[in-house]
Amino acid sequence: MSRLLPPRTVLALLFAALSFLSFTLADTPAGYVSATIDGEQVLVRDNRRPALYTGNFGDCMGSSSINVTRFDAAYYKDNMTVLFHLEGDTALTEEAVMMYIGVYAYGESRFDLTFNPCSANIYSACPVKADVHIEASGIIPISQNDVANIPPIALSIPDFEGEAILRIFANTTQTEIGCFSAVVTNGSSFSQPASVGTILGLFTIVAMIASFATAIYGDHVPVMRKHYAHSLSVLVVFAVWQHIFFSGALSMNWPSVLVAFWSNYAWAGGMIYTESMQNTINNFIGSNKGNTSAVGAAGVGVPNSDLGGGYDIHQIYKRHIFPKALNIPGLIRRSKFNRVARQLEHSLAKRDLADSSDGFKWYGQPVKPGLPLPGNYSGFAGTLGQQNIPASNAFMTGFLWFLVLIASVAFAVVVFKFILEGLAKIKWIKNDRLAFYRTNYLGFTALAVLRTLFIGFFMIIFLCLFQFTYLASPGPVAVAVVAFLIMFIGMVSLSCYACYYRVKFGRYVSEPDRLNVEKRRVLKVVPWYGFSRASKDPRTEDKAYAGSLPWWRVRPASETEKSIHNDDDYTKKFGWLASRFRRTRWWFFVVWLLYEFIRACFLAGASGHPMTQVFGLLAVEFVAFIGIIILRPFEGQRLNILVVYMLGFSKVATVALSAAFDTNFNLARIPTTVIGVVIIVIQGILTIVVLVAIVIGAISSYMSVMRNREEFKPKRWVPIREKYFKHMDEKEKDIPTLPPPPPPRPVTPKGPYFSVNSMRRMAKIEDEDAEFVAEIRGDPIASQSTLASASRDAIGDIPSGRGRTASIRSNMSYSSLPYGARVHRASWSSRDFSEHNQGQDRRRSTYSMTFSPVDGSRPVSRMFQPMDTQFPGSRENVSSRPMTPVMSPAGIGESSSSRPTNQPKSGPVATPKASRGGYSSFGSDQ
């Protein structure tokens, strides 16, 4: 990039900027010149745009003895020529002069030349006289070698940053008597206010119409407010546009690409140039235009001795050459390109000045007083310079256009009402169409004006403070004071009254609270702190706290208090302030006004103090970014995305990157341009998001306006509309969405086990035998009836008379003896008697137990028998004996020892079933 403009090419540019030559073209039609394009000789229009040319120029000395009224040059790549013009006059009686020209690209000197005008056939300046008009023009042919090292990007990169500086010195005093600076450009620029600015303005009008439509449609105030809250806010749209444009209010040395990009948004800040308005403001202000250097910009008409790195008078007048310089008209001294210099002395002749009538229109004009020097883009003055608006006129320009906006809004609301009345008269619309709006149109007009004042609060406060800081002219300052008092005191008073009205008439109470400071970690590594109110999130043992701060809260006096958005009276009075915010964040308009006022103080009040501006504003924007993320104040989701995330990030990133443009860091202009392109990308993405949001907002507003129509077109949008309305209903409740509960942890069994929860004895078939029951009870002499009664009490409602077919014991019997008969031996020993009792105990003492598996499945009931050798009459605790499961159908258990192993059952067959809870079961589960 250091070879962006090699000396040879710049030399051509420089000569063009000077004005000492003349080259005639013959044998070509009028309006055309010969050019070589792709190796072919062709004719091209003489009013075509040059590859590089100078634009507006200004006086960089302040008291120049020579007044230059035209100073321009143009380089044409197609026919390899340089065209230049010089024109001016002086009040000096007679003075021999020396001229010095320097060309700079991206902050570095690319070419410099010291010459005597007499050597360039500029006889009107050899010497300069009061009665002789200085005038010169010419066409310089250059060779391919002179421009061989110019990279093609230099001729196409947007907003090429270059300057051409002309200095004039008096030979008698060896002092500078004239200085003029012109901007060098290639014609490509991000500054397209006629196209880009118009598109942005049309989209903004669409957003205004969509928002207004949702505000007036309907007759039920809470429903109207709900749909209005979810349309795109015009406040947010202007907040984005004004953020982008007023980023240039920092007193930084901006790259040319940034101020050109910001000029597309100037209309949103009230900076719209009209010649008649500027002339009126100039007459009101007077001749005092202030010093733009106070806000970081090199101004026109003030001394700028160090412009372009300054100059060394000893290099202009060398002692051993100076005496000859006064007597040798053809002297041209340069360190390089002597061949070109000698050629110019013999090949150039005087020509008449070319102007727009001759086909050449690519030249600039002298800038007006109060503007910064062309090519200097520092501070807010440099940003305004793109609109040709002096910094001294900034407040009055913005204030007048703001008054025009207020009048236009009020006029549009009233006119729309009468248009509806006229359409109703001619039966083009129904008589009850928009009846609520037509009845209350004056109230809507007042609220529209108040909403416009709320949107323009930042712009007016900024311009008032900038007027106080920059220019203390009596007239503008008096107007600024009145505007400041109306906007600041008026809006703050209305906001405070809106809060007071809600707290007083809404039956709210204010009570102390605590703000807990929680210790957290971001990304599980970075220590961080969070805040929570004790009234909503009491302290818990699972969180670490760094302390707490005294706080307060305002809450309804009762839980049945009406929501603020369901309060028709409050919405009608203060809906222009609170309607777009969430039910629990209705007071956010106070925070927004305070935030915008602090921003304006840093941007305007600290003008001329770049470090205070950038770092103070960075702290404010960062705190606001974090705070708004926590609050998420808007009810509409699109607004939260724009304001909370996109706009907040853009503000923080822009201010942080702007710190690199401070002159104290002395950053090279090429890296500065790269940083400027990064800012353009960030703000450009934000712009695209806003435009997309405006389109989506217009569609959603159409759905809201058509909410009462039974037939909605296009029909494929019907599901989207229903989903959108459901989304609005959910957001209106403003109930925090709780995260889903974590899934339960799986319980891993420690090992196979069972637990006995209950145990009871099951009825047996043998219980129907009175003799048997008497034996097991140890009462052999008990009567038959007593035993039978006891048996029935033991077994509940089981009938005593059973058919043989249904008797399991009869089917399982392996003896031919009748039921109830006993086999007796001829003689019994004590061992036989003991074994007999043990078998009876195993058969008849079956217990049922309920198992609760550890995996949480359904408990399972099983029957068990004690497996010991004790007598049936033993009082040993049954639960301490080992148990063996007994499988029996229909809940009636029987010992497995009561039948042979290989003998099949004649009753229901027990079949294995699937395991439940880790246990194998057979037969029916109890």
mmCIF file of all heavy atoms in Angstrom, residues 491-507:
data_model
loop_
_atom_site.group_PDB
_atom_site.id
_atom_site.type_symbol
_atom_site.label_atom_id
_atom_site.label_comp_id
_atom_site.label_asym_id
_atom_site.label_seq_id
_atom_site.Cartn_x
_atom_site.Cartn_y
_atom_site.Cartn_z
ATOM 1 N N MET A 491 -39.835 16.122 29.294
ATOM 2 C CA MET A 491 -39.908 14.664 29.168
ATOM 3 C C MET A 491 -39.642 13.977 30.502
ATOM 4 O O MET A 491 -40.309 12.997 30.856
ATOM 5 C CB MET A 491 -38.914 14.183 28.122
ATOM 6 C CG MET A 491 -39.232 14.619 26.700
ATOM 7 S SD MET A 491 -40.882 14.127 26.150
ATOM 8 C CE MET A 491 -40.765 12.366 26.299
ATOM 9 N N VAL A 492 -38.681 14.469 31.252
ATOM 10 C CA VAL A 492 -38.399 13.866 32.554
ATOM 11 C C VAL A 492 -39.586 14.046 33.496
ATOM 12 O O VAL A 492 -39.959 13.128 34.239
ATOM 13 C CB VAL A 492 -37.113 14.469 33.157
ATOM 14 C CG1 VAL A 492 -36.921 14.008 34.588
ATOM 15 C CG2 VAL A 492 -35.905 14.088 32.315
ATOM 16 N N SER A 493 -40.206 15.217 33.467
ATOM 17 C CA SER A 493 -41.369 15.460 34.333
ATOM 18 C C SER A 493 -42.530 14.556 33.959
ATOM 19 O O SER A 493 -43.187 13.974 34.838
ATOM 20 C CB SER A 493 -41.790 16.932 34.241
ATOM 21 O OG SER A 493 -40.740 17.780 34.672
ATOM 22 N N LEU A 494 -42.802 14.407 32.671
ATOM 23 C CA LEU A 494 -43.883 13.530 32.237
ATOM 24 C C LEU A 494 -43.602 12.081 32.613
ATOM 25 O O LEU A 494 -44.516 11.345 33.023
ATOM 26 C CB LEU A 494 -44.084 13.661 30.731
ATOM 27 C CG LEU A 494 -44.759 14.945 30.239
ATOM 28 C CD1 LEU A 494 -44.754 15.000 28.719
ATOM 29 C CD2 LEU A 494 -46.178 15.045 30.776
ATOM 30 N N SER A 495 -42.355 11.654 32.500
ATOM 31 C CA SER A 495 -42.002 10.282 32.849
ATOM 32 C C SER A 495 -42.161 10.030 34.343
ATOM 33 O O SER A 495 -42.710 9.001 34.763
ATOM 34 C CB SER A 495 -40.564 9.981 32.404
ATOM 35 O OG SER A 495 -40.424 10.144 31.009
ATOM 36 N N CYS A 496 -41.699 10.972 35.132
ATOM 37 C CA CYS A 496 -41.845 10.818 36.583
ATOM 38 C C CYS A 496 -43.315 10.839 36.988
ATOM 39 O O CYS A 496 -43.737 10.079 37.876
ATOM 40 C CB CYS A 496 -41.073 11.916 37.309
ATOM 41 S SG CYS A 496 -39.278 11.807 37.112
ATOM 42 N N TYR A 497 -44.095 11.694 36.346
ATOM 43 C CA TYR A 497 -45.521 11.735 36.666
ATOM 44 C C TYR A 497 -46.220 10.441 36.260
ATOM 45 O O TYR A 497 -47.147 9.991 36.954
ATOM 46 C CB TYR A 497 -46.171 12.918 35.969
ATOM 47 C CG TYR A 497 -47.663 13.010 36.224
ATOM 48 C CD1 TYR A 497 -48.153 13.340 37.488
ATOM 49 C CD2 TYR A 497 -48.582 12.756 35.213
ATOM 50 C CE1 TYR A 497 -49.521 13.419 37.738
ATOM 51 C CE2 TYR A 497 -49.946 12.826 35.441
ATOM 52 C CZ TYR A 497 -50.415 13.156 36.699
ATOM 53 O OH TYR A 497 -51.761 13.221 36.939
ATOM 54 N N ALA A 498 -45.782 9.829 35.171
ATOM 55 C CA ALA A 498 -46.365 8.549 34.757
ATOM 56 C C ALA A 498 -46.105 7.473 35.811
ATOM 57 O O ALA A 498 -46.991 6.658 36.114
ATOM 58 C CB ALA A 498 -45.786 8.130 33.412
ATOM 59 N N CYS A 499 -44.902 7.466 36.376
ATOM 60 C CA CYS A 499 -44.609 6.498 37.450
ATOM 61 C C CYS A 499 -45.424 6.818 38.700
ATOM 62 O O CYS A 499 -45.981 5.908 39.345
ATOM 63 C CB CYS A 499 -43.118 6.515 37.756
ATOM 64 S SG CYS A 499 -42.072 5.962 36.401
ATOM 65 N N TYR A 500 -45.480 8.093 39.051
ATOM 66 C CA TYR A 500 -46.240 8.492 40.239
ATOM 67 C C TYR A 500 -47.722 8.157 40.086
ATOM 68 O O TYR A 500 -48.361 7.672 41.030
ATOM 69 C CB TYR A 500 -46.049 9.991 40.471
ATOM 70 C CG TYR A 500 -46.964 10.572 41.522
ATOM 71 C CD1 TYR A 500 -46.706 10.380 42.876
ATOM 72 C CD2 TYR A 500 -48.095 11.304 41.156
ATOM 73 C CE1 TYR A 500 -47.560 10.906 43.841
ATOM 74 C CE2 TYR A 500 -48.942 11.832 42.107
ATOM 75 C CZ TYR A 500 -48.666 11.631 43.454
ATOM 76 O OH TYR A 500 -49.516 12.153 44.401
ATOM 77 N N TYR A 501 -48.256 8.383 38.909
ATOM 78 C CA TYR A 501 -49.678 8.120 38.662
ATOM 79 C C TYR A 501 -49.980 6.640 38.833
ATOM 80 O O TYR A 501 -51.003 6.263 39.413
ATOM 81 C CB TYR A 501 -50.028 8.579 37.250
ATOM 82 C CG TYR A 501 -51.505 8.520 36.929
ATOM 83 C CD1 TYR A 501 -52.329 9.604 37.186
ATOM 84 C CD2 TYR A 501 -52.066 7.375 36.356
ATOM 85 C CE1 TYR A 501 -53.691 9.570 36.878
ATOM 86 C CE2 TYR A 501 -53.416 7.325 36.054
ATOM 87 C CZ TYR A 501 -54.221 8.421 36.315
ATOM 88 O OH TYR A 501 -55.565 8.365 36.026
ATOM 89 N N ARG A 502 -49.083 5.809 38.342
ATOM 90 C CA ARG A 502 -49.318 4.363 38.463
ATOM 91 C C ARG A 502 -49.210 3.896 39.905
ATOM 92 O O ARG A 502 -50.012 3.089 40.388
ATOM 93 C CB ARG A 502 -48.312 3.605 37.591
ATOM 94 C CG ARG A 502 -48.416 2.087 37.672
ATOM 95 C CD ARG A 502 -49.798 1.618 37.283
ATOM 96 N NE ARG A 502 -49.926 0.164 37.409
ATOM 97 C CZ ARG A 502 -51.081 -0.489 37.329
ATOM 98 N NH1 ARG A 502 -52.199 0.176 37.111
ATOM 99 N NH2 ARG A 502 -51.120 -1.800 37.461
ATOM 100 N N VAL A 503 -48.220 4.384 40.617
ATOM 101 C CA VAL A 503 -48.027 3.953 41.998
ATOM 102 C C VAL A 503 -49.156 4.448 42.898
ATOM 103 O O VAL A 503 -49.639 3.714 43.775
ATOM 104 C CB VAL A 503 -46.662 4.451 42.519
ATOM 105 C CG1 VAL A 503 -46.519 4.172 43.998
ATOM 106 C CG2 VAL A 503 -45.531 3.775 41.752
ATOM 107 N N LYS A 504 -49.613 5.665 42.664
ATOM 108 C CA LYS A 504 -50.645 6.228 43.537
ATOM 109 C C LYS A 504 -52.017 5.648 43.235
ATOM 110 O O LYS A 504 -52.704 5.140 44.133
ATOM 111 C CB LYS A 504 -50.669 7.744 43.391
ATOM 112 C CG LYS A 504 -51.722 8.405 44.273
ATOM 113 C CD LYS A 504 -51.689 9.919 44.119
ATOM 114 C CE LYS A 504 -52.756 10.566 45.020
ATOM 115 N NZ LYS A 504 -52.756 12.042 44.894
ATOM 116 N N PHE A 505 -52.437 5.709 41.993
ATOM 117 C CA PHE A 505 -53.785 5.284 41.648
ATOM 118 C C PHE A 505 -53.864 3.793 41.334
ATOM 119 O O PHE A 505 -54.954 3.251 41.220
ATOM 120 C CB PHE A 505 -54.293 6.093 40.450
ATOM 121 C CG PHE A 505 -54.412 7.551 40.738
ATOM 122 C CD1 PHE A 505 -53.426 8.433 40.325
ATOM 123 C CD2 PHE A 505 -55.495 8.048 41.443
ATOM 124 C CE1 PHE A 505 -53.526 9.781 40.581
ATOM 125 C CE2 PHE A 505 -55.594 9.397 41.713
ATOM 126 C CZ PHE A 505 -54.616 10.262 41.293
ATOM 127 N N GLY A 506 -52.750 3.152 41.193
ATOM 128 C CA GLY A 506 -52.751 1.709 40.964
ATOM 129 C C GLY A 506 -52.600 0.916 42.239
ATOM 130 O O GLY A 506 -52.447 -0.299 42.194
ATOM 131 N N ARG A 507 -52.644 1.614 43.388
ATOM 132 C CA ARG A 507 -52.553 0.958 44.690
ATOM 133 C C ARG A 507 -51.293 0.098 44.771
ATOM 134 O O ARG A 507 -51.353 -1.109 44.962
ATOM 135 C CB ARG A 507 -53.806 0.142 44.966
ATOM 136 C CG ARG A 507 -55.046 0.990 45.184
ATOM 137 C CD ARG A 507 -56.239 0.152 45.562
ATOM 138 N NE ARG A 507 -56.630 -0.744 44.486
ATOM 139 C CZ ARG A 507 -57.433 -0.386 43.488
ATOM 140 N NH1 ARG A 507 -57.906 0.840 43.432
ATOM 141 N NH2 ARG A 507 -57.762 -1.252 42.542
#
